[in-house]
Amino acid sequence: MYTIPPAFSDFISPDCDRSRFIQDYLKAGGIDCAIMSMEGKNHIYVKFPKSQYNPMFRIKTVIAHYDRIGIGANDNSAAVFCLMEWARSLGSLREPQGPHVQHRPHVQHNIRLIFTDGEELGEGGGVKEQGAFPLAQMFRRLGITNDDIFVFDCMGRGEVPILSQPTVPPKVSTSFLQSYSELEARARTLLQTASDGHWFYLPCNYSDNASFIANGIPAVAVTLLPSDEVQEVVAGRQPQTWKLFHTPQDNLSSLNPASFELFHKILNLLAAMKTLNQ
């Protein structure tokens, strides 16, 4: 059973320099990272060894915002902390080839991991105010449009994975719709496997996926909810988990360690997922 580490309390403390915390936490695990400064926001790009990438398969870009309003234990510290733990484990993964082999090759996971800054700005100012919007624009300029992009937001409370129903801009291309449909199908399979079939497809508040979709790049968003709160959303009511956002009650006591455990299962399945480049 997963136990939330004491370091998580440091991460959600009011005076925590979260960008520095992430960099130091990764460095302590032997993982380097780079800061991508865009329009006053600092995104953190995790640098895995090149040997962990295989060009035969799609890159899986994983995104979670580290900015917050208030304590932000669930929104979005839980997801970020799990991703930091996961990054440290991915960085050290090597193929098992016997106890006497000194230099075993890295496991090829094809994960591109980015912690974004400024997601919360989009709530009041629209998607173009999100910190991830210029990041998505950069992806478009560089021609990085064929990744499988997974955005994880609020993963610390609940046992049911939720795949967010997107708001797709009008007049999108047929190729975008096809690519999005294929990505969404892979996301459905991922959540189906991780949760033994107990997942839902529901309308949710948008996250950084909105910035990529607005730039014509498919991206899916995943969150977690308690099972009883899923029925609240189905009935058109706001669940308690979402009512806690940006309040003092979005704190450590509101979280469920089992959610962290489920999220790690999702992430490990994602690392193992391989989709051929076409």
Side-chain angles (χ1 to χ4, degrees), residues 172-198:
V172 296
S173 67
T174 301
S175 61
F176 173 89
L177 291 175
Q178 180 177 343
S179 296
Y180 188 91
S181 176
E182 291 170 354
L183 171 59
E184 192 175 70
R186 289 190 285 274
R188 288 170 179 259
T189 299
L190 173 70
L191 300 184
Q192 172 86 9
T193 303
S195 66
D196 296 325
H198 301 292

mmCIF file with all atom_site columns, all heavy atoms in Angstrom, residues 172-198:
data_model
loop_
_atom_site.group_PDB
_atom_site.id
_atom_site.type_symbol
_atom_site.label_atom_id
_atom_site.label_alt_id
_atom_site.label_comp_id
_atom_site.label_asym_id
_atom_site.label_entity_id
_atom_site.label_seq_id
_atom_site.pdbx_PDB_ins_code
_atom_site.Cartn_x
_atom_site.Cartn_y
_atom_site.Cartn_z
_atom_site.occupancy
_atom_site.B_iso_or_equiv
_atom_site.pdbx_formal_charge
_atom_site.auth_seq_id
_atom_site.auth_comp_id
_atom_site.auth_asym_id
_atom_site.auth_atom_id
_atom_site.pdbx_PDB_model_num
ATOM 1   N N   . VAL A 1 172 ? -12.421 22.098 -37.238 1.00 0.00 ? 172 VAL A N   1
ATOM 2   C CA  . VAL A 1 172 ? -11.145 21.399 -37.161 1.00 0.00 ? 172 VAL A CA  1
ATOM 3   C C   . VAL A 1 172 ? -11.038 20.455 -38.350 1.00 0.00 ? 172 VAL A C   1
ATOM 4   O O   . VAL A 1 172 ? -12.031 20.056 -38.952 1.00 0.00 ? 172 VAL A O   1
ATOM 5   C CB  . VAL A 1 172 ? -10.993 20.615 -35.843 1.00 0.00 ? 172 VAL A CB  1
ATOM 6   C CG1 . VAL A 1 172 ? -10.987 21.554 -34.657 1.00 0.00 ? 172 VAL A CG1 1
ATOM 7   C CG2 . VAL A 1 172 ? -12.086 19.569 -35.703 1.00 0.00 ? 172 VAL A CG2 1
ATOM 8   N N   . SER A 1 173 ? -9.810  20.099 -38.682 1.00 0.00 ? 173 SER A N   1
ATOM 9   C CA  . SER A 1 173 ? -9.583  19.258 -39.852 1.00 0.00 ? 173 SER A CA  1
ATOM 10  C C   . SER A 1 173 ? -9.993  17.817 -39.585 1.00 0.00 ? 173 SER A C   1
ATOM 11  O O   . SER A 1 173 ? -10.050 17.359 -38.436 1.00 0.00 ? 173 SER A O   1
ATOM 12  C CB  . SER A 1 173 ? -8.104  19.303 -40.245 1.00 0.00 ? 173 SER A CB  1
ATOM 13  O OG  . SER A 1 173 ? -7.308  18.696 -39.246 1.00 0.00 ? 173 SER A OG  1
ATOM 14  N N   . THR A 1 174 ? -10.243 17.121 -40.677 1.00 0.00 ? 174 THR A N   1
ATOM 15  C CA  . THR A 1 174 ? -10.563 15.701 -40.575 1.00 0.00 ? 174 THR A CA  1
ATOM 16  C C   . THR A 1 174 ? -9.393  14.920 -39.995 1.00 0.00 ? 174 THR A C   1
ATOM 17  O O   . THR A 1 174 ? -9.583  13.989 -39.210 1.00 0.00 ? 174 THR A O   1
ATOM 18  C CB  . THR A 1 174 ? -10.921 15.139 -41.965 1.00 0.00 ? 174 THR A CB  1
ATOM 19  O OG1 . THR A 1 174 ? -12.034 15.865 -42.493 1.00 0.00 ? 174 THR A OG1 1
ATOM 20  C CG2 . THR A 1 174 ? -11.277 13.664 -41.876 1.00 0.00 ? 174 THR A CG2 1
ATOM 21  N N   . SER A 1 175 ? -8.172  15.329 -40.358 1.00 0.00 ? 175 SER A N   1
ATOM 22  C CA  . SER A 1 175 ? -6.987  14.630 -39.845 1.00 0.00 ? 175 SER A CA  1
ATOM 23  C C   . SER A 1 175 ? -6.849  14.815 -38.339 1.00 0.00 ? 175 SER A C   1
ATOM 24  O O   . SER A 1 175 ? -6.447  13.883 -37.635 1.00 0.00 ? 175 SER A O   1
ATOM 25  C CB  . SER A 1 175 ? -5.729  15.125 -40.556 1.00 0.00 ? 175 SER A CB  1
ATOM 26  O OG  . SER A 1 175 ? -5.526  16.510 -40.330 1.00 0.00 ? 175 SER A OG  1
ATOM 27  N N   . PHE A 1 176 ? -7.190  16.016 -37.833 1.00 0.00 ? 176 PHE A N   1
ATOM 28  C CA  . PHE A 1 176 ? -7.156  16.234 -36.387 1.00 0.00 ? 176 PHE A CA  1
ATOM 29  C C   . PHE A 1 176 ? -8.156  15.308 -35.694 1.00 0.00 ? 176 PHE A C   1
ATOM 30  O O   . PHE A 1 176 ? -7.834  14.666 -34.695 1.00 0.00 ? 176 PHE A O   1
ATOM 31  C CB  . PHE A 1 176 ? -7.476  17.679 -36.031 1.00 0.00 ? 176 PHE A CB  1
ATOM 32  C CG  . PHE A 1 176 ? -7.628  17.917 -34.542 1.00 0.00 ? 176 PHE A CG  1
ATOM 33  C CD1 . PHE A 1 176 ? -6.538  18.246 -33.763 1.00 0.00 ? 176 PHE A CD1 1
ATOM 34  C CD2 . PHE A 1 176 ? -8.870  17.794 -33.923 1.00 0.00 ? 176 PHE A CD2 1
ATOM 35  C CE1 . PHE A 1 176 ? -6.664  18.451 -32.400 1.00 0.00 ? 176 PHE A CE1 1
ATOM 36  C CE2 . PHE A 1 176 ? -9.015  17.991 -32.555 1.00 0.00 ? 176 PHE A CE2 1
ATOM 37  C CZ  . PHE A 1 176 ? -7.904  18.320 -31.788 1.00 0.00 ? 176 PHE A CZ  1
ATOM 38  N N   . LEU A 1 177 ? -9.376  15.254 -36.195 1.00 0.00 ? 177 LEU A N   1
ATOM 39  C CA  . LEU A 1 177 ? -10.410 14.429 -35.574 1.00 0.00 ? 177 LEU A CA  1
ATOM 40  C C   . LEU A 1 177 ? -10.010 12.958 -35.572 1.00 0.00 ? 177 LEU A C   1
ATOM 41  O O   . LEU A 1 177 ? -10.229 12.250 -34.587 1.00 0.00 ? 177 LEU A O   1
ATOM 42  C CB  . LEU A 1 177 ? -11.739 14.612 -36.305 1.00 0.00 ? 177 LEU A CB  1
ATOM 43  C CG  . LEU A 1 177 ? -12.407 15.981 -36.138 1.00 0.00 ? 177 LEU A CG  1
ATOM 44  C CD1 . LEU A 1 177 ? -13.650 16.067 -37.015 1.00 0.00 ? 177 LEU A CD1 1
ATOM 45  C CD2 . LEU A 1 177 ? -12.756 16.249 -34.678 1.00 0.00 ? 177 LEU A CD2 1
ATOM 46  N N   . GLN A 1 178 ? -9.393  12.511 -36.663 1.00 0.00 ? 178 GLN A N   1
ATOM 47  C CA  . GLN A 1 178 ? -8.962  11.120 -36.726 1.00 0.00 ? 178 GLN A CA  1
ATOM 48  C C   . GLN A 1 178 ? -7.843  10.861 -35.723 1.00 0.00 ? 178 GLN A C   1
ATOM 49  O O   . GLN A 1 178 ? -7.862  9.860  -34.998 1.00 0.00 ? 178 GLN A O   1
ATOM 50  C CB  . GLN A 1 178 ? -8.489  10.768 -38.130 1.00 0.00 ? 178 GLN A CB  1
ATOM 51  C CG  . GLN A 1 178 ? -8.015  9.326  -38.264 1.00 0.00 ? 178 GLN A CG  1
ATOM 52  C CD  . GLN A 1 178 ? -7.608  8.961  -39.679 1.00 0.00 ? 178 GLN A CD  1
ATOM 53  O OE1 . GLN A 1 178 ? -7.949  9.660  -40.634 1.00 0.00 ? 178 GLN A OE1 1
ATOM 54  N NE2 . GLN A 1 178 ? -6.885  7.866  -39.827 1.00 0.00 ? 178 GLN A NE2 1
ATOM 55  N N   . SER A 1 179 ? -6.858  11.772 -35.668 1.00 0.00 ? 179 SER A N   1
ATOM 56  C CA  . SER A 1 179 ? -5.743  11.608 -34.731 1.00 0.00 ? 179 SER A CA  1
ATOM 57  C C   . SER A 1 179 ? -6.228  11.653 -33.295 1.00 0.00 ? 179 SER A C   1
ATOM 58  O O   . SER A 1 179 ? -5.772  10.870 -32.451 1.00 0.00 ? 179 SER A O   1
ATOM 59  C CB  . SER A 1 179 ? -4.689  12.690 -34.966 1.00 0.00 ? 179 SER A CB  1
ATOM 60  O OG  . SER A 1 179 ? -4.104  12.559 -36.243 1.00 0.00 ? 179 SER A OG  1
ATOM 61  N N   . TYR A 1 180 ? -7.161  12.570 -33.025 1.00 0.00 ? 180 TYR A N   1
ATOM 62  C CA  . TYR A 1 180 ? -7.689  12.652 -31.657 1.00 0.00 ? 180 TYR A CA  1
ATOM 63  C C   . TYR A 1 180 ? -8.439  11.383 -31.293 1.00 0.00 ? 180 TYR A C   1
ATOM 64  O O   . TYR A 1 180 ? -8.292  10.859 -30.183 1.00 0.00 ? 180 TYR A O   1
ATOM 65  C CB  . TYR A 1 180 ? -8.598  13.866 -31.477 1.00 0.00 ? 180 TYR A CB  1
ATOM 66  C CG  . TYR A 1 180 ? -8.978  14.045 -30.021 1.00 0.00 ? 180 TYR A CG  1
ATOM 67  C CD1 . TYR A 1 180 ? -8.207  14.845 -29.193 1.00 0.00 ? 180 TYR A CD1 1
ATOM 68  C CD2 . TYR A 1 180 ? -10.064 13.370 -29.467 1.00 0.00 ? 180 TYR A CD2 1
ATOM 69  C CE1 . TYR A 1 180 ? -8.511  14.966 -27.851 1.00 0.00 ? 180 TYR A CE1 1
ATOM 70  C CE2 . TYR A 1 180 ? -10.370 13.488 -28.133 1.00 0.00 ? 180 TYR A CE2 1
ATOM 71  C CZ  . TYR A 1 180 ? -9.583  14.289 -27.326 1.00 0.00 ? 180 TYR A CZ  1
ATOM 72  O OH  . TYR A 1 180 ? -9.866  14.386 -26.002 1.00 0.00 ? 180 TYR A OH  1
ATOM 73  N N   . SER A 1 181 ? -9.231  10.883 -32.214 1.00 0.00 ? 181 SER A N   1
ATOM 74  C CA  . SER A 1 181 ? -9.997  9.667  -31.950 1.00 0.00 ? 181 SER A CA  1
ATOM 75  C C   . SER A 1 181 ? -9.072  8.490  -31.652 1.00 0.00 ? 181 SER A C   1
ATOM 76  O O   . SER A 1 181 ? -9.342  7.696  -30.739 1.00 0.00 ? 181 SER A O   1
ATOM 77  C CB  . SER A 1 181 ? -10.886 9.349  -33.154 1.00 0.00 ? 181 SER A CB  1
ATOM 78  O OG  . SER A 1 181 ? -11.580 8.134  -32.968 1.00 0.00 ? 181 SER A OG  1
ATOM 79  N N   . GLU A 1 182 ? -7.970  8.393  -32.383 1.00 0.00 ? 182 GLU A N   1
ATOM 80  C CA  . GLU A 1 182 ? -7.022  7.299  -32.165 1.00 0.00 ? 182 GLU A CA  1
ATOM 81  C C   . GLU A 1 182 ? -6.321  7.444  -30.816 1.00 0.00 ? 182 GLU A C   1
ATOM 82  O O   . GLU A 1 182 ? -6.125  6.456  -30.099 1.00 0.00 ? 182 GLU A O   1
ATOM 83  C CB  . GLU A 1 182 ? -6.007  7.272  -33.305 1.00 0.00 ? 182 GLU A CB  1
ATOM 84  C CG  . GLU A 1 182 ? -6.620  6.859  -34.639 1.00 0.00 ? 182 GLU A CG  1
ATOM 85  C CD  . GLU A 1 182 ? -5.675  7.058  -35.808 1.00 0.00 ? 182 GLU A CD  1
ATOM 86  O OE1 . GLU A 1 182 ? -4.568  7.623  -35.589 1.00 0.00 ? 182 GLU A OE1 1
ATOM 87  O OE2 . GLU A 1 182 ? -6.028  6.665  -36.942 1.00 0.00 ? 182 GLU A OE2 1
ATOM 88  N N   . LEU A 1 183 ? -5.934  8.670  -30.472 1.00 0.00 ? 183 LEU A N   1
ATOM 89  C CA  . LEU A 1 183 ? -5.309  8.913  -29.174 1.00 0.00 ? 183 LEU A CA  1
ATOM 90  C C   . LEU A 1 183 ? -6.283  8.599  -28.044 1.00 0.00 ? 183 LEU A C   1
ATOM 91  O O   . LEU A 1 183 ? -5.922  7.957  -27.049 1.00 0.00 ? 183 LEU A O   1
ATOM 92  C CB  . LEU A 1 183 ? -4.842  10.357 -29.083 1.00 0.00 ? 183 LEU A CB  1
ATOM 93  C CG  . LEU A 1 183 ? -4.348  10.829 -27.708 1.00 0.00 ? 183 LEU A CG  1
ATOM 94  C CD1 . LEU A 1 183 ? -3.168  9.996  -27.222 1.00 0.00 ? 183 LEU A CD1 1
ATOM 95  C CD2 . LEU A 1 183 ? -3.987  12.318 -27.746 1.00 0.00 ? 183 LEU A CD2 1
ATOM 96  N N   . GLU A 1 184 ? -7.516  9.043  -28.202 1.00 0.00 ? 184 GLU A N   1
ATOM 97  C CA  . GLU A 1 184 ? -8.522  8.794  -27.173 1.00 0.00 ? 184 GLU A CA  1
ATOM 98  C C   . GLU A 1 184 ? -8.770  7.303  -26.990 1.00 0.00 ? 184 GLU A C   1
ATOM 99  O O   . GLU A 1 184 ? -8.953  6.824  -25.861 1.00 0.00 ? 184 GLU A O   1
ATOM 100 C CB  . GLU A 1 184 ? -9.822  9.505  -27.541 1.00 0.00 ? 184 GLU A CB  1
ATOM 101 C CG  . GLU A 1 184 ? -10.833 9.553  -26.417 1.00 0.00 ? 184 GLU A CG  1
ATOM 102 C CD  . GLU A 1 184 ? -12.046 10.373 -26.790 1.00 0.00 ? 184 GLU A CD  1
ATOM 103 O OE1 . GLU A 1 184 ? -12.837 9.908  -27.659 1.00 0.00 ? 184 GLU A OE1 1
ATOM 104 O OE2 . GLU A 1 184 ? -12.202 11.477 -26.242 1.00 0.00 ? 184 GLU A OE2 1
ATOM 105 N N   . ALA A 1 185 ? -8.749  6.549  -28.072 1.00 0.00 ? 185 ALA A N   1
ATOM 106 C CA  . ALA A 1 185 ? -8.925  5.095  -27.980 1.00 0.00 ? 185 ALA A CA  1
ATOM 107 C C   . ALA A 1 185 ? -7.796  4.466  -27.172 1.00 0.00 ? 185 ALA A C   1
ATOM 108 O O   . ALA A 1 185 ? -8.025  3.560  -26.362 1.00 0.00 ? 185 ALA A O   1
ATOM 109 C CB  . ALA A 1 185 ? -8.997  4.483  -29.376 1.00 0.00 ? 185 ALA A CB  1
ATOM 110 N N   . ARG A 1 186 ? -6.570  4.947  -27.393 1.00 0.00 ? 186 ARG A N   1
ATOM 111 C CA  . ARG A 1 186 ? -5.448  4.419  -26.610 1.00 0.00 ? 186 ARG A CA  1
ATOM 112 C C   . ARG A 1 186 ? -5.585  4.800  -25.145 1.00 0.00 ? 186 ARG A C   1
ATOM 113 O O   . ARG A 1 186 ? -5.261  4.002  -24.249 1.00 0.00 ? 186 ARG A O   1
ATOM 114 C CB  . ARG A 1 186 ? -4.120  4.932  -27.194 1.00 0.00 ? 186 ARG A CB  1
ATOM 115 C CG  . ARG A 1 186 ? -3.776  4.305  -28.527 1.00 0.00 ? 186 ARG A CG  1
ATOM 116 C CD  . ARG A 1 186 ? -2.373  4.630  -28.982 1.00 0.00 ? 186 ARG A CD  1
ATOM 117 N NE  . ARG A 1 186 ? -2.218  5.994  -29.473 1.00 0.00 ? 186 ARG A NE  1
ATOM 118 C CZ  . ARG A 1 186 ? -2.458  6.370  -30.724 1.00 0.00 ? 186 ARG A CZ  1
ATOM 119 N NH1 . ARG A 1 186 ? -2.917  5.497  -31.609 1.00 0.00 ? 186 ARG A NH1 1
ATOM 120 N NH2 . ARG A 1 186 ? -2.267  7.619  -31.113 1.00 0.00 ? 186 ARG A NH2 1
ATOM 121 N N   . ALA A 1 187 ? -6.069  6.004  -24.874 1.00 0.00 ? 187 ALA A N   1
ATOM 122 C CA  . ALA A 1 187 ? -6.276  6.430  -23.491 1.00 0.00 ? 187 ALA A CA  1
ATOM 123 C C   . ALA A 1 187 ? -7.355  5.590  -22.812 1.00 0.00 ? 187 ALA A C   1
ATOM 124 O O   . ALA A 1 187 ? -7.230  5.215  -21.636 1.00 0.00 ? 187 ALA A O   1
ATOM 125 C CB  . ALA A 1 187 ? -6.649  7.912  -23.449 1.00 0.00 ? 187 ALA A CB  1
ATOM 126 N N   . ARG A 1 188 ? -8.415  5.290  -23.541 1.00 0.00 ? 188 ARG A N   1
ATOM 127 C CA  . ARG A 1 188 ? -9.487  4.451  -22.995 1.00 0.00 ? 188 ARG A CA  1
ATOM 128 C C   . ARG A 1 188 ? -8.942  3.066  -22.607 1.00 0.00 ? 188 ARG A C   1
ATOM 129 O O   . ARG A 1 188 ? -9.256  2.539  -21.532 1.00 0.00 ? 188 ARG A O   1
ATOM 130 C CB  . ARG A 1 188 ? -10.608 4.278  -24.022 1.00 0.00 ? 188 ARG A CB  1
ATOM 131 C CG  . ARG A 1 188 ? -11.458 5.504  -24.263 1.00 0.00 ? 188 ARG A CG  1
ATOM 132 C CD  . ARG A 1 188 ? -12.367 5.275  -25.475 1.00 0.00 ? 188 ARG A CD  1
ATOM 133 N NE  . ARG A 1 188 ? -13.230 6.402  -25.748 1.00 0.00 ? 188 ARG A NE  1
ATOM 134 C CZ  . ARG A 1 188 ? -14.510 6.491  -25.424 1.00 0.00 ? 188 ARG A CZ  1
ATOM 135 N NH1 . ARG A 1 188 ? -15.086 5.482  -24.791 1.00 0.00 ? 188 ARG A NH1 1
ATOM 136 N NH2 . ARG A 1 188 ? -15.224 7.546  -25.720 1.00 0.00 ? 188 ARG A NH2 1
ATOM 137 N N   . THR A 1 189 ? -8.141  2.490  -23.484 1.00 0.00 ? 189 THR A N   1
ATOM 138 C CA  . THR A 1 189 ? -7.560  1.172  -23.207 1.00 0.00 ? 189 THR A CA  1
ATOM 139 C C   . THR A 1 189 ? -6.661  1.230  -21.989 1.00 0.00 ? 189 THR A C   1
ATOM 140 O O   . THR A 1 189 ? -6.675  0.329  -21.139 1.00 0.00 ? 189 THR A O   1
ATOM 141 C CB  . THR A 1 189 ? -6.772  0.676  -24.427 1.00 0.00 ? 189 THR A CB  1
ATOM 142 O OG1 . THR A 1 189 ? -7.659  0.562  -25.547 1.00 0.00 ? 189 THR A OG1 1
ATOM 143 C CG2 . THR A 1 189 ? -6.145  -0.679 -24.150 1.00 0.00 ? 189 THR A CG2 1
ATOM 144 N N   . LEU A 1 190 ? -5.873  2.284  -21.890 1.00 0.00 ? 190 LEU A N   1
ATOM 145 C CA  . LEU A 1 190 ? -4.980  2.467  -20.745 1.00 0.00 ? 190 LEU A CA  1
ATOM 146 C C   . LEU A 1 190 ? -5.758  2.505  -19.434 1.00 0.00 ? 190 LEU A C   1
ATOM 147 O O   . LEU A 1 190 ? -5.437  1.784  -18.475 1.00 0.00 ? 190 LEU A O   1
ATOM 148 C CB  . LEU A 1 190 ? -4.180  3.761  -20.926 1.00 0.00 ? 190 LEU A CB  1
ATOM 149 C CG  . LEU A 1 190 ? -3.320  4.217  -19.749 1.00 0.00 ? 190 LEU A CG  1
ATOM 150 C CD1 . LEU A 1 190 ? -2.136  3.292  -19.543 1.00 0.00 ? 190 LEU A CD1 1
ATOM 151 C CD2 . LEU A 1 190 ? -2.833  5.658  -19.977 1.00 0.00 ? 190 LEU A CD2 1
ATOM 152 N N   . LEU A 1 191 ? -6.797  3.329  -19.388 1.00 0.00 ? 191 LEU A N   1
ATOM 153 C CA  . LEU A 1 191 ? -7.577  3.468  -18.157 1.00 0.00 ? 191 LEU A CA  1
ATOM 154 C C   . LEU A 1 191 ? -8.392  2.210  -17.872 1.00 0.00 ? 191 LEU A C   1
ATOM 155 O O   . LEU A 1 191 ? -8.564  1.829  -16.703 1.00 0.00 ? 191 LEU A O   1
ATOM 156 C CB  . LEU A 1 191 ? -8.485  4.691  -18.248 1.00 0.00 ? 191 LEU A CB  1
ATOM 157 C CG  . LEU A 1 191 ? -7.779  6.026  -18.450 1.00 0.00 ? 191 LEU A CG  1
ATOM 158 C CD1 . LEU A 1 191 ? -8.789  7.169  -18.429 1.00 0.00 ? 191 LEU A CD1 1
ATOM 159 C CD2 . LEU A 1 191 ? -6.708  6.259  -17.384 1.00 0.00 ? 191 LEU A CD2 1
ATOM 160 N N   . GLN A 1 192 ? -8.892  1.588  -18.905 1.00 0.00 ? 192 GLN A N   1
ATOM 161 C CA  . GLN A 1 192 ? -9.629  0.329  -18.750 1.00 0.00 ? 192 GLN A CA  1
ATOM 162 C C   . GLN A 1 192 ? -8.763  -0.722 -18.076 1.00 0.00 ? 192 GLN A C   1
ATOM 163 O O   . GLN A 1 192 ? -9.186  -1.418 -17.149 1.00 0.00 ? 192 GLN A O   1
ATOM 164 C CB  . GLN A 1 192 ? -10.079 -0.170 -20.132 1.00 0.00 ? 192 GLN A CB  1
ATOM 165 C CG  . GLN A 1 192 ? -10.691 -1.557 -20.157 1.00 0.00 ? 192 GLN A CG  1
ATOM 166 C CD  . GLN A 1 192 ? -12.179 -1.558 -19.868 1.00 0.00 ? 192 GLN A CD  1
ATOM 167 O OE1 . GLN A 1 192 ? -12.809 -0.497 -19.812 1.00 0.00 ? 192 GLN A OE1 1
ATOM 168 N NE2 . GLN A 1 192 ? -12.744 -2.729 -19.686 1.00 0.00 ? 192 GLN A NE2 1
ATOM 169 N N   . THR A 1 193 ? -7.514  -0.837 -18.528 1.00 0.00 ? 193 THR A N   1
ATOM 170 C CA  . THR A 1 193 ? -6.602  -1.837 -17.976 1.00 0.00 ? 193 THR A CA  1
ATOM 171 C C   . THR A 1 193 ? -6.205  -1.495 -16.550 1.00 0.00 ? 193 THR A C   1
ATOM 172 O O   . THR A 1 193 ? -6.197  -2.362 -15.663 1.00 0.00 ? 193 THR A O   1
ATOM 173 C CB  . THR A 1 193 ? -5.346  -1.941 -18.853 1.00 0.00 ? 193 THR A CB  1
ATOM 174 O OG1 . THR A 1 193 ? -5.742  -2.250 -20.198 1.00 0.00 ? 193 THR A OG1 1
ATOM 175 C CG2 . THR A 1 193 ? -4.407  -3.017 -18.349 1.00 0.00 ? 193 THR A CG2 1
ATOM 176 N N   . ALA A 1 194 ? -5.887  -0.226 -16.312 1.00 0.00 ? 194 ALA A N   1
ATOM 177 C CA  . ALA A 1 194 ? -5.408  0.189  -14.989 1.00 0.00 ? 194 ALA A CA  1
ATOM 178 C C   . ALA A 1 194 ? -6.470  0.059  -13.911 1.00 0.00 ? 194 ALA A C   1
ATOM 179 O O   . ALA A 1 194 ? -6.155  -0.223 -12.746 1.00 0.00 ? 194 ALA A O   1
ATOM 180 C CB  . ALA A 1 194 ? -4.897  1.625  -15.047 1.00 0.00 ? 194 ALA A CB  1
ATOM 181 N N   . SER A 1 195 ? -7.725  0.251  -14.290 1.00 0.00 ? 195 SER A N   1
ATOM 182 C CA  . SER A 1 195 ? -8.804  0.294  -13.299 1.00 0.00 ? 195 SER A CA  1
ATOM 183 C C   . SER A 1 195 ? -9.684  -0.945 -13.311 1.00 0.00 ? 195 SER A C   1
ATOM 184 O O   . SER A 1 195 ? -10.737 -0.954 -12.653 1.00 0.00 ? 195 SER A O   1
ATOM 185 C CB  . SER A 1 195 ? -9.677  1.517  -13.561 1.00 0.00 ? 195 SER A CB  1
ATOM 186 O OG  . SER A 1 195 ? -10.351 1.394  -14.808 1.00 0.00 ? 195 SER A OG  1
ATOM 187 N N   . ASP A 1 196 ? -9.285  -1.979 -14.058 1.00 0.00 ? 196 ASP A N   1
ATOM 188 C CA  . ASP A 1 196 ? -10.110 -3.185 -14.197 1.00 0.00 ? 196 ASP A CA  1
ATOM 189 C C   . ASP A 1 196 ? -11.515 -2.847 -14.684 1.00 0.00 ? 196 ASP A C   1
ATOM 190 O O   . ASP A 1 196 ? -12.511 -3.419 -14.231 1.00 0.00 ? 196 ASP A O   1
ATOM 191 C CB  . ASP A 1 196 ? -10.177 -3.942 -12.864 1.00 0.00 ? 196 ASP A CB  1
ATOM 192 C CG  . ASP A 1 196 ? -8.821  -4.471 -12.432 1.00 0.00 ? 196 ASP A CG  1
ATOM 193 O OD1 . ASP A 1 196 ? -8.027  -4.857 -13.312 1.00 0.00 ? 196 ASP A OD1 1
ATOM 194 O OD2 . ASP A 1 196 ? -8.545  -4.473 -11.221 1.00 0.00 ? 196 ASP A OD2 1
ATOM 195 N N   . GLY A 1 197 ? -11.576 -1.886 -15.581 1.00 0.00 ? 197 GLY A N   1
ATOM 196 C CA  . GLY A 1 197 ? -12.849 -1.532 -16.195 1.00 0.00 ? 197 GLY A CA  1
ATOM 197 C C   . GLY A 1 197 ? -13.640 -0.460 -15.495 1.00 0.00 ? 197 GLY A C   1
ATOM 198 O O   . GLY A 1 197 ? -14.677 -0.029 -16.006 1.00 0.00 ? 197 GLY A O   1
ATOM 199 N N   . HIS A 1 198 ? -13.166 0.020  -14.354 1.00 0.00 ? 198 HIS A N   1
ATOM 200 C CA  . HIS A 1 198 ? -13.930 1.012  -13.578 1.00 0.00 ? 198 HIS A CA  1
ATOM 201 C C   . HIS A 1 198 ? -13.425 2.421  -13.878 1.00 0.00 ? 198 HIS A C   1
ATOM 202 O O   . HIS A 1 198 ? -12.726 3.046  -13.083 1.00 0.00 ? 198 HIS A O   1
ATOM 203 C CB  . HIS A 1 198 ? -13.830 0.704  -12.089 1.00 0.00 ? 198 HIS A CB  1
ATOM 204 C CG  . HIS A 1 198 ? -14.344 -0.649 -11.718 1.00 0.00 ? 198 HIS A CG  1
ATOM 205 N ND1 . HIS A 1 198 ? -15.678 -0.985 -11.794 1.00 0.00 ? 198 HIS A ND1 1
ATOM 206 C CD2 . HIS A 1 198 ? -13.702 -1.776 -11.303 1.00 0.00 ? 198 HIS A CD2 1
ATOM 207 C CE1 . HIS A 1 198 ? -15.844 -2.249 -11.417 1.00 0.00 ? 198 HIS A CE1 1
ATOM 208 N NE2 . HIS A 1 198 ? -14.662 -2.749 -11.128 1.00 0.00 ? 198 HIS A NE2 1
#
